[in-house]
Amino acid sequence: MIQALILAAALSTAPAFTVEHPSATHPGEEEVEAYVQADANAGTRPFAGDAMLKAFHGQAGIGRVVDEVVDRSLADPRTAEIFHSQDMVRLRRTLREQFCYILDGGCRYSGRDMKAAHKDLGLQNADFNALVENLQLAMDHEKIGFRDQNRFLAKLAPMQRQTVER
Amino acid sequence: MNVRNLALSTALSLLCAGTAAAEDLRPAGKLLLTGGVTTVEGSAGGGLSSWAFIGGYETRDGVGANVHATYLNLPDYEFRAYGASVGLFDRVEVSYTRQDFDTQATGAKLGLGKGFTFHQDIFGAKLKVLGDAIYNQDSWVPQIAVGAQYKTADKGAVIGLLGGQHDDGVDYYVAATKVLLSESLVLNATLRATKANQTGLLGFGGPGHDRYSLQAEGSAGVLLTKRLLVGGEYRTKPNNLGLKESDWFDLFAAYAVNKNLSVTAAYADLGTIATFKGQRGLYLSLQAGF
């Protein structure tokens, strides 16, 4: 026990450049600075009822849509740079949580709020719209109806004000 | 990594640095159809009505241009329009359009001569003043723009004979456009102050009525796919000349092939024009952007 305390003390005085040690709670993710977790960080309120969750084919469908939009955006020369040096494991997880929370799929959102999550990315409207286009393609791929896609996009659209910085 | 790969990756990173320096200007950054299509008067909107959208696919970080050609085949006339517009930073739109109103065989019946054609040049400017039709889905506030169209018609003598008081004039309008994404709807309402007869082709003002009147334009469309908007428009018009000038309406389908090309097809009803009733027909418009 004493040994552990000494070790902890030694670690706490260690230089601050060891920021990339892995997250204790989410293996495979990098540690992030502490922030207050709340569902409100998702940036919008969830849909009522289960129609939208059904339209997205449940949590499994949401997971496929998230993976598809992330994969497409990484491969898209318009958007690939946005994700440079981002923790993609964490991004996929928090995006899944956010979509699942909004679609009332029984998830809590544990990520940061939209402003904090996009701080210093320097996003422009063209970036936001390119990501929307990739999301539309991902939802097409999951065979989600166009009107349901638009209902979901209507929830995300106002996030332009928090995420686009210039 | 061998030397060749190293050279290639160095060249690529230099290229990236080069484009990064210019990244503030972004081509074609808007979503499909969110620049509207080009109206008969050259402004972005539907077919007959000017909307609050700024034409083209450029965001607030870009400048883009559009050209259009529009054709409307009516029972007794033929209408053509062609022009260009520039959208600056999704804020300002300037446009020029030339309209031809070809009286064809009807020209002889009107005593003007077969194929007599009225022309009109329209110089438009539009300023987006507030709101955003697309992003602000959590609010009812529409995107609002104000615009002016300076119109100059070429057949002053005939216009005078018909009772038109001027062969040029300015329309002023306020347009409010809202996309209700959750309903896949696009709605627009426009108020226009105008003296124009048949949008200006038959001049401005009439006998005993040479003043502005307030006219209304309404449009509603449903997005069937991200490329296809179908809907209708209605536009009231003044009756300055006493020639039973009719309100206009249409049913339209606007299809974005991609961000460089849109096609609009409509069934347009222009009512009575210069005493000839039932001027209904097929409207076709092509728009190319770059």
Side-chain angles (χ1 to χ4, degrees):
Chain A
M1 185 63 198
I2 291 171
Q3 264 185 340
L5 277 176
I6 293 167
L7 188 63
L11 279 174
S12 67
T13 56
F17 50 72
T18 55
V19 288
E20 288 197 14
H21 61 85
S23 159
T25 43
H26 297 289
E29 295 183 18
E30 295 159 20
E31 196 68 85
V32 293
E33 278 184 43
Y35 59 91
V36 179
Q37 291 187 2
D39 283 335
N41 286 352
T44 187
R45 297 164 64 85
F47 286 99
D50 61 356
M52 287 301 290
L53 185 65
K54 278 185 181 158
F56 275 70
H57 310 137
Q59 285 202 11
I62 293 168
R64 287 189 293 269
V65 168
V66 167
D67 279 334
E68 182 76 14
V69 68
V70 170
D71 291 345
R72 280 182 181 275
S73 299
L74 285 171
D76 182 346
R78 298 176 302 172
T79 49
E81 256 187 75
I82 299 168
F83 305 99
H84 186 68
S85 78
Q86 296 294 312
D87 180 346
M88 296 310 295
V89 177
R90 179 182 160 83
L91 177 70
R92 284 178 200 265
R93 176 180 62 80
T94 51
L95 205 52
R96 262 197 312 274
E97 287 178 2
Q98 186 189 25
F99 283 17
C100 176
Y101 168 74
I102 295 171
L103 292 161
D104 203 23
C107 304
R108 308 298 300 267
Y109 176 65
S110 71
R112 286 172 294 192
D113 68 46
M114 290 302 100
K115 194 168 182 66
H118 297 82
K119 191 174 179 295
D120 298 330
L121 289 179
L123 294 187
Q124 292 175 283
N125 277 336
D127 299 307
F128 187 91
N129 294 346
L131 293 168
V132 169
E133 288 173 354
N134 290 338
L135 177 56
Q136 287 177 318
L137 292 171
M139 292 189 291
D140 286 346
H141 193 250
E142 183 61 27
K143 301 202 162 33
I144 295 164
F146 179 66
R147 296 183 69 102
D148 290 324
Q149 292 188 19
N150 285 346
R151 281 189 194 107
F152 185 54
L153 290 175
K155 290 276 194 188
L156 305 186
M159 296 177 189
Q160 179 266 354
R161 297 196 299 267
Q162 281 82 47
T163 58
V164 172
E165 294 180 313
R166 59 186 183 127
Chain B
M1 182 184 279
N2 63 34
V3 175
R4 206 171 133 190
N5 279 347
L6 185 65
L8 187 64
S9 69
T10 310
L12 278 176
S13 37
L14 284 173
L15 196 66
C16 290
T19 54
E23 75 185 349
D24 287 340
L25 283 179
R26 300 288 293 268
K30 275 194 209 168
L31 296 167
L32 277 173
L33 287 172
T34 60
V37 292
T38 306
T39 67
V40 288
E41 287 161 315
S43 312
L48 303 178
S49 171
S50 295
W51 296 357
F53 284 149
I54 299 298
Y57 279 107
E58 300 318 315
T59 63
R60 65 192 187 196
D61 307 304
V63 175
N66 261 313
V67 293
H68 80 100
T70 300
Y71 170 83
L72 174 53
N73 186 24
L74 300 169
D76 300 300
Y77 306 102
E78 187 175 287
F79 175 90
R80 298 176 294 266
Y82 35 93
S85 70
V86 177
L88 300 120
F89 309 109
D90 200 25
R91 175 65 63 186
V92 174
E93 174 191 294
V94 291
S95 58
Y96 165 75
T97 277
R98 184 167 176 84
Q99 294 180 338
D100 303 341
F101 188 72
D102 188 340
T103 62
Q104 302 183 292
T106 310
K109 297 176 195 165
L110 289 168
L112 298 169
K114 190 175 178 226
F116 184 90
T117 301
F118 293 90
H119 300 280
Q120 178 174 226
D121 294 303
I122 303 176
F123 300 87
K126 188 196 289 181
L127 175 70
K128 178 169 120 182
V129 289
L130 68 87
D132 188 287
I134 314 292
Y135 296 131
N136 298 347
Q137 294 297 315
D138 51 349
S139 146
W140 281 93
V141 177
Q143 177 168 325
I144 293 177
V146 295
Q149 290 164 340
Y150 172 71
K151 303 169 168 183
T152 172
D154 74 335
K155 295 295 191 287
V158 174
I159 287 166
L161 285 173
L162 289 169
Q165 304 296 298
H166 312 275
D167 58 10
D168 68 348
V170 184
D171 283 6
Y172 303 94
Y173 63 90
V174 182
T177 305
K178 189 74 186 175
V179 176
L180 291 179
L181 256 187
S182 61
E183 308 300 326
S184 298
L185 287 177
V186 181
L187 303 174
N188 181 77
T190 300
L191 275 180
R192 179 185 298 265
T194 183
K195 289 185 179 185
N197 311 317
Q198 300 295 1
T199 78
L201 282 160
L202 301 185
F204 302 80
H209 196 286
D210 185 21
R211 40 182 200 276
Y212 277 96
S213 64
L214 210 52
Q215 304 296 327
E217 298 163 20
S219 312
V222 59
L223 286 159
L224 293 183
T225 75
K226 58 193 167 189
R227 302 182 182 284
L228 180 62
L229 176 69
V230 299
E233 297 177 286
Y234 194 93
R235 172 173 180 169
T236 68
K237 299 191 12 278
N239 183 27
N240 302 324
L241 294 177
L243 293 174
K244 296 182 178 164
E245 182 165 340
S246 308
D247 294 349
W248 285 359
F249 76 88
D250 72 13
L251 297 170
F252 70 86
Y255 184 80
V257 178
N258 52 41
K259 287 182 182 175
N260 301 114
L261 185 66
S262 318
V263 184
T264 308
Y267 169 79
D269 186 337
L270 308 192
T272 300
I273 298 180
T275 73
F276 281 75
K277 293 177 186 169
Q279 300 305 312
R280 297 182 276 268
L282 178 71
Y283 169 110
L284 264 181
S285 182
L286 278 177
Q287 177 182 321
F290 40 86

